[in-house]
Amino acid sequence: MQTKDWPRAPVHRLSENGVYIVTAATLGKKKVFDTEEKLSFLESQILSLAKNYAWRLEAWAVFPNHYHFVVCAEEQAKPIRTLISHLHSKTAQWVNGLDGAKGRRVWFNFWDTRLTFQDSYLARLNYVHQNAIKHGLVKVASHYPWCSAAWFERTCSAAEVKTIYGFKIDKVNVVDDF
């Protein structure tokens, strides 16, 4: 199994350069990333491309038909849309090659929201960490292998984890009808 290129521990503060939550969906909500290999590839591309484009990942969750992530712009960050375009192009080409589906359109759309309020940011971090529970895939977020919850719990203090996980997510407005 390929080792993961994990980002540094989250800083948990808003950035002057921008903090965003990004959600993307496959065309028709089709479960294109339907194997462990495909999910791992998509996750690895999010991790590596975010780093290459100077975006620090704070939280992420990858599923067969969508993903979410929260990123913070580093000083030399390239536009978020450029990162997403590269991610979608690279992952679509790879998964289409694997499936023998040349030319298939994989990604439908993405939504990005700049986070400007601390509480909104912290609630969305929790939302992304807990998303596998929302979708009924696990009972404990850190047990889902394609999200940041286990990494977050390992790299942050118990107080930070308790604070983030304490933010209510029932009223968080994120496109997530998958």
Side-chain angles (χ1 to χ4, degrees), residues 20 22 53 55 78-88 109-113:
Y20 291 82
V22 176
Y53 281 82
W55 287 89
K78 295 186 174 97
I80 190 76
R81 291 177 183 271
T82 306
L83 161 63
I84 295 165
S85 176
H86 188 177
L87 173 66
H88 287 185
N109 204 354
F110 73 91
W111 301 266
D112 61 316
T113 302

Side-chain angles (χ1 to χ4, degrees), residues 6 43 60-63 128-129 132 141-142 144-151:
W6 298 103
E43 180 188 47
W60 65 92
V62 174
F63 303 100
V128 173
H129 290 312
S142 60
Y144 186 69
W146 299 283
C147 81
S148 54
W151 161 80

Side-chain angles (χ1 to χ4, degrees), residues 64-110:
N65 62 355
H66 74 289
Y67 65 76
H68 306 281
F69 60 75
V70 176
V71 287
C72 177
E74 301 282 358
E75 193 172 315
Q76 302 298 324
K78 295 186 174 97
I80 190 76
R81 291 177 183 271
T82 306
L83 161 63
I84 295 165
S85 176
H86 188 177
L87 173 66
H88 287 185
S89 173
K90 190 169 185 177
T91 57
Q93 288 174 0
W94 180 84
V95 77
N96 282 348
L98 191 66
D99 291 348
K102 185 177 180 183
R104 171 182 61 180
R105 184 170 171 204
V106 171
W107 296 106
F108 168 66
N109 204 354
F110 73 91

Side-chain angles (χ1 to χ4, degrees), residues 1-162:
M1 180 173 190
Q2 178 183 356
T3 60
K4 295 180 181 180
D5 184 17
W6 298 103
R8 297 181 303 279
V11 177
H12 303 303
R13 67 173 179 266
L14 296 179
S15 164
E16 291 178 14
N17 297 329
V19 175
Y20 291 82
I21 184 167
V22 176
T23 297
T26 58
L27 183 63
K29 302 177 188 175
K30 186 174 181 187
K31 294 181 178 180
V32 176
F33 296 90
D34 57 354
T35 66
E36 290 183 8
E37 178 185 18
K38 292 174 184 178
L39 288 165
S40 295
F41 182 78
L42 178 55
E43 180 188 47
S44 73
Q45 292 308 298
I46 290 170
L47 291 166
S48 64
L49 290 172
K51 184 178 179 179
N52 291 348
Y53 281 82
W55 287 89
R56 184 181 63 245
L57 276 163
E58 302 271 324
W60 65 92
V62 174
F63 303 100
N65 62 355
H66 74 289
Y67 65 76
H68 306 281
F69 60 75
V70 176
V71 287
C72 177
E74 301 282 358
E75 193 172 315
Q76 302 298 324
K78 295 186 174 97
I80 190 76
R81 291 177 183 271
T82 306
L83 161 63
I84 295 165
S85 176
H86 188 177
L87 173 66
H88 287 185
S89 173
K90 190 169 185 177
T91 57
Q93 288 174 0
W94 180 84
V95 77
N96 282 348
L98 191 66
D99 291 348
K102 185 177 180 183
R104 171 182 61 180
R105 184 170 171 204
V106 171
W107 296 106
F108 168 66
N109 204 354
F110 73 91
W111 301 266
D112 61 316
T113 302
R114 186 165 185 197
L115 305 176
T116 56
F117 296 101
Q118 188 77 3
D119 285 356
S120 175
Y121 161 67
L122 297 173
R124 279 158 181 77
L125 282 178
N126 190 28
Y127 182 86
V128 173
H129 290 312
Q130 304 300 323
N131 205 246
I133 294 171
K134 176 189 184 299
H135 291 295
L137 300 171
V138 293
K139 292 189 185 297
V140 177
S142 60
H143 293 172
Y144 186 69
W146 299 283
C147 81
S148 54
W151 161 80
F152 171 68
E153 293 172 14
R154 274 193 322 272
T155 59
C156 292
S157 71
E160 289 175 304
V161 172
K162 184 178 179 183

